């Protein structure tokens, strides 16, 4: 209970002001397409140079927490994920917004983020030494199988057709190979100079989700609003809280999966929401409602996104191994102030580390309060006239794509992918499996290459990748996930045919 002795540091005037500023600023940055949590934290690091280590980490930690949750705003209202972590949130959240339930979806997303985030930080507080040792057991072979496990959900992710879902995922996997191979140094599919650095995830994410929306808006012409605004119900906090409690299964699945994925170094928090969404659907008796505006989809995705924040700092603080890209940026913030993470950081700098962790716990609560308070106002975005909304989204898309690398090549890639996705959507293909393939392709490829080099110096790839208890468990999970996807697809097809057969008789 040592952390309780350092709670007072969070309530010092400057520290509390920084916590408020980081939370509010993070929500705004997170809601801006293209400004991912990693970029938001990186942009704030220069502002910490003249702050004490504790104050600087409080600002960065608050921004990290609230930016992850803030990405749900644009995902729900505009179907443009603020960051890769919010892809799954857009699947059901945007459908709810189209029905005039944007405020309800935002309430549930912030509440689920708060619950998942608090549990994740509590894991960081109480289980850091144990979890750090467990995380060390994951080598390249295990991380490769975890990435493959993520690939197995591609076929059933936001697609009415299993085959089209797989094809979309394969397109994403192919796009992830474009660029220069870091291991072999070979150029792959570089047709124009803009592709020499590969396809960066943020421009691709914006293009695949935002541009089809913009083109669809322009195609509709001068319609007064995106949704029917004759009657938009108001949702109270207690109503949303009761619904969250009723959705305990989805909340639990999201929190557990987010915590596990956040803990494993290098897996990347961007897949936590997608995996949690898929598993929540698998265990739900209302599978068919997912993707049509089902609140459990939003709850599972957002609870996972914030549950991974706390555990992602476990390997960072104890082993100097970041659990996510944003945690890697936070590592830079620690080193700037002369603090070197390691097993003895809690002994050498307890006032810095415990105050920082306590501020993240309080930051989760503040994030929920500010998010709920602004949800009704934010939901009005969906009522804007279509021409104005389309123009605003297009400006944000151009700004977000260019800001990643200050390169017009990224803007060109964003536009080409967006137009291509707009055409594919007309044939029933979905953007979510494609993005998942784009994200997991480099992860699986890098760990396979690293594992192959290690295997060459040991007993060979077969022994390295297919033996050992942890490898076997992960392989069984991969096979089970594939089998379950085929099984549910066959059931769905049989249910779809049975009414027609009955009618024909």
């Amino acid at each position: 209970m040592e952390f309780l002795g350092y709670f007072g540091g969070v309530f010092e005037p400057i520290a509390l002001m920084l916590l408020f500023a980081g939370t509010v600023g993070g929500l705004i940055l997170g809601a801006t397409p293209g400004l991912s949590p990693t970029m938001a934290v990186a942009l704030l690091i220069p502002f910490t140079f003249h702050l004490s280590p504790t104050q600087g980490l409080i600002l960065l930690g608050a921004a990290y927490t609230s930016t992850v949750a803030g990405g749900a705003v644009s995902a729900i209202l505009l179907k443009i994920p603020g960051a890769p972590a919010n892809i799954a949130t857009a699947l059901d959240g945007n459908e709810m917004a189209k029905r005039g339930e944007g405020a309800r979806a935002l309430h549930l997303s912030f509440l689920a983020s708060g619950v998942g985030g608090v549990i994740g930080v509590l894991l960081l507080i109480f289980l850091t030494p144990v979890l750090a040792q467990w995380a060390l057991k994951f080598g390249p072979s295990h991380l490769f199988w975890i990435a493959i496990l993520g690939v197995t959900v591609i076929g059933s992710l936001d697609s009415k057709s299993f085959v089209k879902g797989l094809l979309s995922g394969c397109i994403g996997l192919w796009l992830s190979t474009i660029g220069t191979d870091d291991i072999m140094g070979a150029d792959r599919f570089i047709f124009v100079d803009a592709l020499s650095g590969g396809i960066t995830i943020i421009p691709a994410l914006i293009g695949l989700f935002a541009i089809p929306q913009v083109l669809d808006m322009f195609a509709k012409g001068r319609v007064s609003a995106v949704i029917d605004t004759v009657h938009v119900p108001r949702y109270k906090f207690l109503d949303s809280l009761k619904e969250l409690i009723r959705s305990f299964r989805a909340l639990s699945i999201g929190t557990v999966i987010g915590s596990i994925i956040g803990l494993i170094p290098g897996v990347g928090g961007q897949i936590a929401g997608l995996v949690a969404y898929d598993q929540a659907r698998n265990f739900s008796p209302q599978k068919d409602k997912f993707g049509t505006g089902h609140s459990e989809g939003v709850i599972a995705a957002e609870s996972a996104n914030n549950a991974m924040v706390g555990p992602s700092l476990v390997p960072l603080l104890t082993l100097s191994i970041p659990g996510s890209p944003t945690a890697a940026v936070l590592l830079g913030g620690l080193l700037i102030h002369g603090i070197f993470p390691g097993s003895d950081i809690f002994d050498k700098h307890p006032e810095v580390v415990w105050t920082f962790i306590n501020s993240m716990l309080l930051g989760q609560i503040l994030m929920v309060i500010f998010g709920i308070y602004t949800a009704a106002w934010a939901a009005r975005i969906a009522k804007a006239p279509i021409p104005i909304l389309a123009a605003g989204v297009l400006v944000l898309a151009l700004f977000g794509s260019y800001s990643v690398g200050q390169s017009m090549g990224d803007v060109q890639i964003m536009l080409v992918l967006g137009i291509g996705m707009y055409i594919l959507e007309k044939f029933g293909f979905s953007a979510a499996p494609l993005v998942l393939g784009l994200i997991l392709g480099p992860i699986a490829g890098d760990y396979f290459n690293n594992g192959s080099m290690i295997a060459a110096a040991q007993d060979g790839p077969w022994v390295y990748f297919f033996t050992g208890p942890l490898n076997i468990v992960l392989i069984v999970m991969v096979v089970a996930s594939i089998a379950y996807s085929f099984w549910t697809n066959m059931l769905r097809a049989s249910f779809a045919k049975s009414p027609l057969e009955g009618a024909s008789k």
Side-chain angles (χ1 to χ4, degrees):
M1 305 297 285
E2 182 183 2
F3 75 99
L4 292 175
Y6 296 94
F7 245 113
V10 182
F11 293 95
E12 293 179 358
I14 296 179
L16 198 59
M17 181 184 68
L18 290 170
L19 184 60
F20 273 82
T23 302
V24 176
L27 288 172
I28 296 172
L29 292 174
T32 305
L35 292 179
S36 64
T38 305
M39 188 183 301
V41 173
L43 289 173
L44 289 175
I45 281 184
F47 294 95
T48 69
F49 290 163
H50 299 291
L51 299 173
S52 68
T54 304
Q55 294 169 350
L57 286 175
I58 287 175
L59 177 63
L60 298 179
Y64 182 13
T65 298
S66 57
T67 306
V68 173
V73 176
S74 57
I76 290 171
L77 300 180
L78 303 174
K79 203 180 180 181
I80 306 172
N86 306 109
I87 294 170
T89 308
L91 304 182
D92 282 286
N94 185 250
E95 293 298 322
M96 293 176 69
K98 289 179 180 178
R99 295 201 303 258
E101 299 176 351
R104 173 186 166 214
L106 289 172
H107 279 196
L108 293 174
S109 71
F110 285 119
L111 285 170
S113 294
V115 173
V118 167
I119 293 176
V121 176
L122 290 177
L123 287 175
L124 172 63
I125 291 173
F126 292 108
L127 300 177
T128 293
V130 177
L131 295 178
Q133 293 301 317
W134 180 74
L136 275 178
K137 296 181 180 180
F138 284 83
S141 64
H142 312 120
L143 297 173
F144 166 75
W145 286 118
I146 290 174
I148 296 300
L149 180 62
V151 171
T152 61
V153 309
I154 283 177
S156 57
L157 189 64
D158 188 37
S159 181
K160 294 181 176 63
S161 168
F162 184 74
V163 174
K164 289 180 180 178
L166 285 177
L167 287 174
S168 296
C170 290
I171 293 173
L173 289 171
W174 170 67
L175 291 174
S176 71
T177 65
I178 294 176
T180 303
D181 187 340
D182 294 334
I183 303 296
M184 306 302 295
D187 293 338
R188 302 176 298 190
F189 306 110
I190 299 178
F191 310 114
V192 294
D193 292 339
L195 296 173
S196 58
I199 296 179
T200 310
I201 183 60
I202 295 298
L205 184 67
I206 294 172
L208 293 170
F209 281 95
I211 299 303
Q213 286 283 103
V214 171
L215 293 176
D216 190 55
M217 289 177 190
F218 283 131
K220 289 179 179 178
R222 292 183 173 274
V223 183
S224 60
V226 177
I227 61 173
D228 180 15
T229 60
V230 174
H231 176 65
V232 178
R234 296 175 63 87
Y235 288 91
K236 297 180 180 180
F237 173 78
L238 288 179
D239 295 334
S240 301
L241 188 59
K242 290 176 183 177
E243 185 171 0
L244 185 75
I245 295 172
R246 289 196 299 268
S247 304
F248 179 77
R249 178 183 56 251
L251 182 65
S252 302
I253 290 173
T255 301
V256 171
I257 290 178
S259 299
I260 294 173
I261 290 180
L263 174 67
I264 302 171
V267 173
Q270 59 262 40
I271 70 170
L274 288 164
V275 175
Y277 180 89
D278 181 72
Q279 293 306 308
R281 179 175 54 187
N282 290 342
F283 285 98
S284 174
Q286 300 174 315
K287 296 180 179 65
D288 294 337
K289 288 188 177 182
F290 279 74
T292 64
H294 193 36
S295 59
E296 287 189 4
V298 175
I299 291 170
E302 283 304 306
S303 59
N305 289 340
N306 262 46
M308 71 91 190
V309 171
S312 72
L313 301 180
V314 172
L316 169 68
L317 294 176
T318 58
L319 307 171
S320 298
I321 303 173
S324 68
T326 314
V329 179
L330 281 173
L331 175 61
L334 285 168
L335 297 177
I336 286 172
H337 291 283
I339 298 175
F340 296 89
S343 57
D344 58 350
I345 190 173
F346 288 91
D347 296 324
K348 289 185 175 180
H349 307 282
E351 72 288 345
V352 175
V353 178
W354 284 123
T355 305
F356 166 56
I357 294 175
N358 290 336
S359 73
M360 292 191 68
L361 193 61
L362 182 59
Q364 298 286 353
I365 300 172
L366 291 176
M367 177 269 297
V368 174
I369 294 173
F370 286 124
I372 293 292
Y373 181 73
T374 58
W377 295 350
R380 296 179 183 177
I381 294 174
K383 304 178 189 179
I386 282 184
I388 295 176
L389 190 58
V393 171
L394 183 58
V395 170
L396 287 174
L398 294 172
F399 168 76
S401 300
Y402 182 79
S403 64
V404 175
Q406 288 77 50
S407 170
M408 287 303 298
D410 287 338
V411 176
Q412 295 168 10
I413 291 172
M414 181 269 294
L415 292 172
V416 171
L417 289 178
I419 295 170
M421 193 67 243
Y422 178 75
I423 297 171
L424 287 174
E425 284 184 348
K426 299 300 181 183
F427 294 94
F429 290 87
S430 174
L434 198 154
V435 173
L436 185 58
L438 186 61
I439 291 172
L440 292 175
I443 296 175
D446 289 345
Y447 286 124
F448 179 78
N449 287 332
N450 292 339
S452 297
M453 289 189 290
I454 295 174
Q458 297 180 356
D459 299 323
W462 177 263
V463 174
Y464 184 76
F465 282 99
F466 292 92
T467 61
L470 193 51
N471 273 336
I472 292 173
V473 168
L474 291 171
I475 292 171
V476 170
M477 292 174 66
V478 168
V479 174
S481 178
I482 295 172
Y484 187 83
S485 295
F486 274 109
W487 180 61
T488 53
N489 184 65
M490 291 175 64
L491 283 179
R492 194 181 298 116
S494 64
F495 283 136
K497 290 179 180 178
S498 56
L500 296 177
E501 293 173 354
S504 62
K505 292 177 182 179

